[in-house]
Amino acid sequence: MTDATDGPDERTHVDDRFHVFDTTLRDGAQREGISLTVADKLTIARHLDDFGVGFIEGGWPGANPRDTEFFQRAREEIGFRHAQLVAFGATRKAGVRAEDDPQVAALLDSGAPVITLVAKSHDRHVELALRTTLDENLAMVRDTVAYLCGHGRRVFVDCEHFFDGHRANPDYALEVVRTAYEAGADVVVLCDTNGGMLPAQVGATVREVIEATGARLGIHAQDDTGCAVANTLAAVDAGATHVQCTANGYGERVGNANLFPVVAALEIKYDRRVLPHGALAEMTRISHAIAEVVNLTPSTHQPYVGVSAFAHKAGLHASAIKVDPDLYQHIDPERVGNTMRMLVSDMAGRASIELKGKELGVDLGGDRELIGRVVGRVKERELAGYTYEAADASFELLLREEAEGRARRYYRIESWRAIAEDRPDGTHANEATVKLWAKGERIVATAEGNGPVDALDRALRVALERIYPQLAALKLTDYKVRILEGSRGTGSITRVLVSTSDESGEWSTVGVAENVIAASWQALDDAYAYGLRRAGVEPRE
Amino acid sequence: MTDATDGPDERTHVDDRFHVFDTTLRDGAQREGISLTVADKLTIARHLDDFGVGFIEGGWPGANPRDTEFFQRAREEIGFRHAQLVAFGATRKAGVRAEDDPQVAALLDSGAPVITLVAKSHDRHVELALRTTLDENLAMVRDTVAYLCGHGRRVFVDCEHFFDGHRANPDYALEVVRTAYEAGADVVVLCDTNGGMLPAQVGATVREVIEATGARLGIHAQDDTGCAVANTLAAVDAGATHVQCTANGYGERVGNANLFPVVAALEIKYDRRVLPHGALAEMTRISHAIAEVVNLTPSTHQPYVGVSAFAHKAGLHASAIKVDPDLYQHIDPERVGNTMRMLVSDMAGRASIELKGKELGVDLGGDRELIGRVVGRVKERELAGYTYEAADASFELLLREEAEGRARRYYRIESWRAIAEDRPDGTHANEATVKLWAKGERIVATAEGNGPVDALDRALRVALERIYPQLAALKLTDYKVRILEGSRGTGSITRVLVSTSDESGEWSTVGVAENVIAASWQALDDAYAYGLRRAGVEPRE
């Protein structure tokens, strides 16, 4: 590491010798299920700049109004600290001069200082998809690169289908690289567009192209063989100095090379500085934040940044981790902003429960009988469909209940009812009523909401607000429903996970029942009990 | 390929020179969120045998009653066609003779013909976790292997933490391999237990160990760097002839090397026969079936077998695919039992909509105005939260509605109401009422259900059963709820996806509304309209 003298908060620029190039906003947006607004794209660009990538490919200006607007607003609204904005486009049309091609003009108009041009390098694609001659394709590459360079832009050339093309017609594929490089492209990027390559092939090809052309090379790998990260690293091993990736591996079909494991490998395993100082420790947060913006649940099992990436379940591992966490972790999770977790499950032994108790600040003091009782209740509840791995707060309530020998309840429910209705006049109604006892008093409250669960939540708050004003600070932040198949022959059941926050944190609770309303009710009940407990409120049932 | 003379349905055994070893039932079960019953394990074993893996590691007999029961029932209930059952266990305890160690006895008692022994090969783990001497650890390996071989078992030895151990103390790590091999182990498996390795390191180490020991080697890779598949292939390139994998990559922390891309690479990219004839074409089905058993949604973006693995979205790709699908696919998806899909999304251009129409049997006949109208409606609905990528049937209804110029409705809803209630006496009630018009008749029906959505579904069926008896054949098979954040400032909305089946197929529909009941109602409404249309019923609103 060369940054030992930097202050801990000072982010320094990475030099130009190695490029971390992100294409989440262009290629990543091709993923099934992703649809980005301009506002989404601006937010993601800010996260990527914050993380410290060198280049952010923002889209194809001119190809659709959204991308054109993005470039305009990004220039005006974002003060990039690390990244340069890149516009993506194609070489000029066949038979047209670069200066007369409106698509090329739109690239200049975008104002982006860097332009990535996609070029065909596979002879069959030139003939079938472009429907032009091999020579004209070379001229298209040469003219467009020279024209954009002449207008002061830095140009990278993406050779689409390079690896397949190189296998089919190596001379022509090499000629495309040479042409781009000689016309002024700074980097020629070899793309495994169909994603069919394996690391050994990628390494050998990159080596051969460097020897044959002397060009500065980049790599753009798709993940169709499950090897995109390894293919990217194999290209780096062979001499490539520019890696194109997407956040969380989003992209067409299976996806692209995932930015996070690529930069983590380079920084941690290669000991190579590719990000500003301090950025790696932000990686988990940034990965999850981008998932939120694209509205996809963060992958729990993503390397380095998944919530499961440092989660330990096996009893064997738990016992060893009590001795030394490094025995079952390849790195300290804090280096990438993640944390170690012990999982509570019916596979968990006493060691896991004890460690988990410690994590939650409940000292079980090696009480074998108590720990055994907790293990027993967890097994029994998980058999019924509960899951405590994702519901720490419900587990803590269970644990404390056993440790303290009694449930701490803030109220006692007599009954509840929720109604959802589409009326003949086209209006909707969602209404709920709760009847409960709190502080010796019987309270009946009714409320309306956006839906029956929301109405129940509001009715409960109305009923309790006088006695427990602290409830006003609690906010429902997430709500997940899963239908569990009755693999044990009991018919299907519904599991609801609710996330709730107050000013200082967030917690998750679980409910399981035959239907979504009843399961939600349970999860809400736990959420409020936990929230009141956190707030230091004494139960007064 | 050497199987050109086999009949298409005849599955032949793969020879012993290369081992596909599956450990889904042991290491895969360590994944966060997985909890397998004995029945689950038996079902998965059948799928794996069907797929044609050579070895199925079933668990650790003696370590817990579930695994002991599994081995007993697997022997009795499963007539394995391809796989051999493998029991997993540890070398004998320090200071105890192998024949006196009950854990070793349980391995013999399991009746499994093959036993995998886990052995420590990292000096630090011997000292910290086993708390014995390096010499005693070697004796433990030697004695246990010899004892089990002496009882007629085939023995594989898993060298835990081999790669880290080899880096820390290469001589000792190699000595463990040599000891195991000389004592009679058929294969010594190098395990990257903490998953921190990269392919180049794995390849170099495997090569060195083969040169130093002459042992037959296997590889067991964890995916903590996102390179488990590539690490497995790097080991094979270096001479390993035994690969340990799990279905869908399930496993501790991030997971294990994923069986499916590993065998697909070996069969397709290496042209090496590692599965029985015809098995590869079953891969997608088996991957999804195993996901069902473990009760995890199949990963949509898994290489080769994900529903998105051959799904095309970019307008650029769609136009090229109209020319030739191979231009944007690395293999024919049918080789692995998957299919190509065109995605309908607001990024889709006219080409995608036209191709999708063809896929659904709706000829849009190049009608530019009609196609433009469909593109417009899709964009507008997706902006409101709908997704047609996962709801083909709802999209087809939309498409036909535009193509035919009118909605085909089977009934007209006047109003509906659903009530969920927890009564003071502890009983529950879920009741729904629908009021609708069908065939000129006004019908009012009420029904009870497990929950409010189930009650609505039943009430609708009660109302319509006389007029549309075909509804009786429709079954709800899946139900998913997602809360969408109102990133466009409209507050949160709920999206429901419903899968419905009849005797001959399954389809998916979508509903979006402010709450789960109203969204479910829409998805049900589409599901029935689609099902009746499939059944050839004429609308008689």
Side-chain angles (χ1 to χ4, degrees):
Chain A
M1 300 292 281
T2 58
D3 54 351
T5 57
D6 296 340
D9 287 317
E10 185 194 343
R11 292 224 177 162
T12 51
H13 288 270
V14 177
D15 68 40
D16 195 60
R17 282 174 295 178
F18 193 92
H19 294 172
V20 176
F21 180 108
D22 182 278
T23 178
T24 307
L25 299 180
R26 206 254 323 157
D27 223 16
Q30 304 288 347
R31 182 190 151 115
E32 180 168 8
I34 288 187
S35 170
L36 301 176
T37 62
V38 175
D40 292 339
K41 292 184 88 156
L42 291 167
T43 306
I44 293 170
R46 283 192 187 92
H47 286 306
L48 290 168
D49 181 53
D50 202 21
F51 188 47
V53 304
F55 300 90
I56 297 174
E57 190 167 68
W60 191 335
N64 66 63
R66 213 158 25 172
D67 284 2
T68 308
E69 185 188 337
F70 167 76
F71 279 94
Q72 193 190 326
R73 291 185 54 188
R75 257 188 320 178
E76 293 164 5
E77 298 176 19
I78 306 182
F80 288 105
R81 292 185 303 149
H82 305 111
Q84 286 197 286
L85 205 58
V86 183
F88 175 88
T91 52
R92 67 161 173 82
K93 276 217 181 79
V96 176
R97 296 193 314 166
E99 49 268 53
D100 297 335
D101 188 325
Q103 186 263 143
V104 176
L107 296 176
L108 287 181
D109 290 346
S110 75
V114 184
I115 291 168
T116 301
L117 282 179
V118 60
K120 299 279 182 202
S121 55
H122 187 314
D123 55 1
R124 196 154 156 265
H125 281 258
V126 174
E127 285 155 3
L128 279 181
L130 277 189
R131 297 182 197 205
T132 189
T133 64
L134 298 183
D135 280 343
E136 172 64 1
N137 181 53
L138 291 176
M140 288 154 63
V141 172
R142 190 182 307 115
D143 295 353
T144 322
V145 172
Y147 176 73
L148 293 172
C149 290
H151 281 75
R153 298 307 193 276
R154 187 176 192 183
V155 177
F156 303 151
V157 171
D158 274 6
C159 289
E160 212 196 8
H161 295 104
F162 184 83
F163 294 90
D164 297 306
H166 183 261
R167 200 147 55 173
N169 185 343
D171 290 343
Y172 187 71
L174 289 172
E175 197 52 35
V176 174
V177 174
R178 231 177 257 121
T179 302
Y181 199 54
E182 286 167 5
D186 263 346
V187 182
V188 180
V189 183
L190 310 187
C191 302
D192 180 20
T193 309
N194 291 3
M197 294 296 129
L198 299 174
Q201 300 169 303
V202 170
T205 306
V206 169
R207 215 165 279 119
E208 191 185 325
V209 176
I210 289 178
E211 277 165 22
T213 68
R216 178 175 183 178
L217 296 188
I219 179 74
H220 175 116
Q222 300 285 138
D223 201 29
D224 298 74
T225 62
C227 292
V229 170
N231 285 346
T232 303
L233 297 175
V236 172
D237 291 340
T241 55
H242 168 117
V243 294
Q244 295 197 350
C245 303
T246 62
N248 302 324
Y250 299 141
E252 184 88 359
R253 302 186 311 276
V254 171
N256 289 47
N258 188 340
L259 174 67
F260 302 122
V262 167
V263 297
L266 291 170
E267 290 248 332
I268 298 176
K269 310 283 176 180
Y270 286 60
D271 211 0
R272 188 166 186 163
R273 177 117 182 255
V274 300
L275 291 177
H277 186 72
L280 201 62
E282 303 293 320
M283 192 162 87
T284 298
R285 178 183 66 76
I286 285 171
S287 161
H288 293 214
I290 292 175
E292 288 300 325
V293 180
V294 304
N295 204 5
L296 288 171
T297 309
S299 162
T300 52
H301 287 70
Q302 199 179 143
Y304 299 96
V305 300
V307 293
S308 297
F310 299 93
H312 301 277
K313 178 159 156 181
L316 196 67
H317 291 200
S319 329
I321 283 166
K322 273 179 78 174
V323 180
D324 179 357
D326 286 348
L327 291 175
Y328 281 91
Q329 290 182 161
H330 71 119
I331 59 163
D332 178 351
E334 289 185 9
R335 291 190 70 179
V336 294
N338 209 338
T339 45
M340 186 179 94
R341 287 163 57 232
M342 295 306 304
L343 300 180
V344 174
S345 86
D346 65 348
M347 289 183 72
R350 293 157 177 278
S352 319
I353 294 283
E354 217 180 325
L355 278 172
K356 188 74 193 177
K358 225 172 258 173
E359 193 182 313
L360 297 172
V362 184
D363 185 12
L364 299 174
D367 179 341
R368 289 189 57 79
E369 197 268 321
L370 169 61
I371 296 171
R373 232 164 43 225
V374 174
V375 170
R377 267 193 73 187
V378 167
K379 284 184 197 235
E380 174 199 315
R381 302 271 280 183
E382 296 217 332
L383 203 67
Y386 289 80
T387 177
Y388 290 105
E389 290 178 5
D392 262 8
S394 287
F395 174 70
E396 189 178 330
L397 289 173
L398 182 157
L399 193 66
R400 290 192 188 275
E401 209 170 293
E402 290 296 336
E404 293 163 10
R406 66 193 168 90
R408 288 162 61 106
R409 289 291 158 193
Y410 294 86
Y411 48 84
R412 186 167 54 79
I413 293 294
E414 183 182 299
S415 68
W416 57 260
R417 182 179 66 225
I419 302 175
E421 190 171 10
D422 243 21
R423 297 204 185 101
D425 63 3
T427 60
H428 315 282
N430 293 285
E431 188 190 297
T433 300
V434 298
K435 301 178 184 176
L436 55 79
W437 293 82
K439 217 182 156 187
E441 190 183 332
R442 183 165 183 271
I443 305 169
V444 175
T446 294
E448 294 181 312
N450 291 331
V453 176
D454 186 43
L456 265 179
D457 179 34
R458 289 176 196 233
L460 190 59
R461 286 166 180 264
V462 169
L464 294 171
E465 60 191 355
R466 193 168 33 84
I467 295 172
Y468 299 115
Q470 298 86 349
L471 282 179
L474 306 192
K475 263 180 56 187
L476 253 63
T477 53
D478 197 16
Y479 175 80
K480 292 200 189 87
V481 183
R482 174 104 201 259
I483 311 298
L484 304 177
E485 281 309 313
S487 61
R488 290 166 193 91
T490 55
S492 74
I493 47 174
T494 302
R495 177 200 292 159
V496 169
L497 288 166
V498 165
S499 298
T500 311
S501 69
D502 58 16
E503 286 94 7
S504 64
E506 194 175 279
W507 57 95
S508 295
T509 52
V510 60
V512 172
E514 269 193 333
N515 72 74
V516 63
I517 312 286
S520 303
W521 174 258
Q522 280 182 25
L524 285 175
D525 193 25
D526 266 13
Y528 291 147
Y530 189 83
L532 289 173
R533 178 164 199 136
R534 265 169 75 89
V537 179
E538 278 303 303
R540 305 186 282 184
E541 185 184 299
Chain B
M1 299 291 281
T2 59
D3 54 352
T5 57
D6 296 340
D9 287 318
E10 187 193 342
R11 292 225 177 160
T12 51
H13 288 270
V14 177
D15 68 40
D16 195 60
R17 282 173 295 178
F18 193 92
H19 294 172
V20 176
F21 181 108
D22 182 277
T23 178
T24 308
L25 300 180
R26 204 243 339 145
D27 224 16
Q30 304 288 346
R31 182 190 150 112
E32 180 168 9
I34 287 187
S35 169
L36 301 175
T37 63
V38 175
D40 292 340
K41 293 184 89 159
L42 291 166
T43 307
I44 293 170
R46 283 192 185 92
H47 285 306
L48 290 168
D49 181 53
D50 202 22
F51 187 49
V53 304
F55 299 90
I56 297 173
E57 190 167 69
W60 191 335
N64 66 63
R66 212 155 32 169
D67 284 3
T68 309
E69 184 187 338
F70 166 76
F71 280 94
Q72 191 189 327
R73 289 185 55 187
R75 259 189 318 180
E76 291 163 6
E77 297 174 21
I78 305 181
F80 288 106
R81 290 185 306 149
H82 304 111
Q84 286 197 288
L85 205 58
V86 182
F88 175 88
T91 52
R92 68 161 174 83
K93 276 216 180 80
V96 177
R97 298 193 314 165
E99 49 268 54
D100 297 334
D101 188 326
Q103 185 263 139
V104 176
L107 296 176
L108 286 179
D109 291 345
S110 74
V114 184
I115 290 166
T116 301
L117 282 181
V118 61
K120 299 279 182 203
S121 54
H122 187 314
D123 55 2
R124 195 153 157 266
H125 282 259
V126 173
E127 285 154 4
L128 279 182
L130 277 190
R131 296 177 199 211
T132 187
T133 65
L134 298 181
D135 281 343
E136 173 63 3
N137 181 52
L138 291 176
M140 286 155 63
V141 172
R142 189 183 306 116
D143 294 354
T144 322
V145 172
Y147 175 73
L148 293 171
C149 289
H151 281 75
R153 298 305 193 278
R154 188 175 191 183
V155 177
F156 302 151
V157 171
D158 274 6
C159 289
E160 213 195 9
H161 295 102
F162 183 82
F163 295 90
D164 297 306
H166 183 260
R167 202 148 53 173
N169 184 343
D171 290 342
Y172 187 71
L174 289 172
E175 197 53 37
V176 174
V177 174
R178 231 176 257 122
T179 302
Y181 199 54
E182 285 167 5
D186 263 347
V187 182
V188 180
V189 183
L190 309 188
C191 302
D192 181 18
T193 309
N194 292 2
M197 294 295 130
L198 298 174
Q201 299 168 303
V202 170
T205 307
V206 168
R207 215 166 279 119
E208 190 186 324
V209 176
I210 290 177
E211 277 166 21
T213 67
R216 177 175 185 178
L217 295 190
I219 179 73
H220 175 116
Q222 299 286 137
D223 200 30
D224 298 74
T225 61
C227 293
V229 170
N231 284 345
T232 303
L233 297 174
V236 172
D237 292 341
T241 55
H242 169 117
V243 293
Q244 296 197 349
C245 303
T246 62
N248 302 324
Y250 299 141
E252 183 88 0
R253 303 186 310 276
V254 171
N256 288 48
N258 187 338
L259 175 66
F260 302 122
V262 167
V263 297
L266 292 169
E267 290 247 330
I268 297 175
K269 309 284 176 179
Y270 285 61
D271 212 0
R272 187 165 188 164
R273 176 117 183 255
V274 300
L275 291 176
H277 185 72
L280 201 62
E282 304 292 321
M283 194 162 85
T284 300
R285 178 182 66 75
I286 285 170
S287 162
H288 294 214
I290 291 175
E292 288 300 324
V293 180
V294 304
N295 204 7
L296 288 171
T297 310
S299 161
T300 52
H301 287 69
Q302 198 179 142
Y304 299 96
V305 300
V307 294
S308 297
F310 300 93
H312 302 278
K313 177 159 156 183
L316 196 69
H317 291 198
S319 330
I321 283 165
K322 272 178 79 175
V323 180
D324 179 355
D326 286 347
L327 290 178
Y328 281 91
Q329 290 182 160
H330 71 120
I331 59 163
D332 178 352
E334 290 186 8
R335 291 188 71 179
V336 293
N338 209 338
T339 45
M340 187 179 93
R341 289 161 57 232
M342 294 308 303
L343 299 182
V344 174
S345 87
D346 65 348
M347 289 184 74
R350 295 157 175 278
S352 318
I353 294 283
E354 217 181 324
L355 278 172
K356 187 74 193 178
K358 226 174 254 170
E359 193 182 311
L360 297 173
V362 183
D363 185 11
L364 299 175
D367 180 340
R368 288 189 58 80
E369 196 270 323
L370 169 60
I371 295 172
R373 232 166 40 226
V374 173
V375 171
R377 268 194 71 187
V378 167
K379 283 183 198 236
E380 173 199 316
R381 302 271 280 182
E382 296 215 333
L383 204 65
Y386 290 80
T387 176
Y388 291 105
E389 290 178 4
D392 263 7
S394 287
F395 174 71
E396 189 176 331
L397 289 173
L398 181 158
L399 193 66
R400 290 190 188 277
E401 209 169 293
E402 289 297 336
E404 293 163 11
R406 65 193 169 90
R408 288 162 61 107
R409 288 292 158 191
Y410 293 86
Y411 47 84
R412 185 167 55 79
I413 293 294
E414 185 183 299
S415 69
W416 58 259
R417 182 180 63 225
I419 301 175
E421 191 171 7
D422 243 22
R423 298 203 185 102
D425 62 4
T427 60
H428 316 283
N430 292 286
E431 188 189 295
T433 300
V434 298
K435 300 178 183 177
L436 55 79
W437 292 81
K439 220 183 156 186
E441 189 183 333
R442 182 165 184 273
I443 304 170
V444 175
T446 293
E448 294 180 315
N450 291 330
V453 176
D454 186 44
L456 264 179
D457 179 35
R458 288 176 197 232
L460 189 60
R461 287 165 180 265
V462 169
L464 295 171
E465 62 190 354
R466 192 166 37 82
I467 295 171
Y468 300 116
Q470 298 87 348
L471 283 179
L474 306 193
K475 264 179 57 184
L476 253 65
T477 54
D478 197 16
Y479 176 80
K480 291 198 190 87
V481 183
R482 175 103 201 260
I483 312 299
L484 305 177
E485 281 308 315
S487 60
R488 287 164 197 92
T490 55
S492 74
I493 47 173
T494 303
R495 177 200 289 158
V496 168
L497 288 166
V498 164
S499 299
T500 311
S501 69
D502 59 13
E503 286 94 3
S504 63
E506 192 174 280
W507 58 94
S508 295
T509 52
V510 61
V512 171
E514 270 194 331
N515 72 72
V516 62
I517 313 286
S520 303
W521 172 260
Q522 280 181 25
L524 283 176
D525 192 26
D526 266 13
Y528 290 147
Y530 189 84
L532 289 171
R533 179 165 198 136
R534 266 170 74 90
V537 180
E538 279 303 305
R540 304 186 281 183
E541 184 186 299

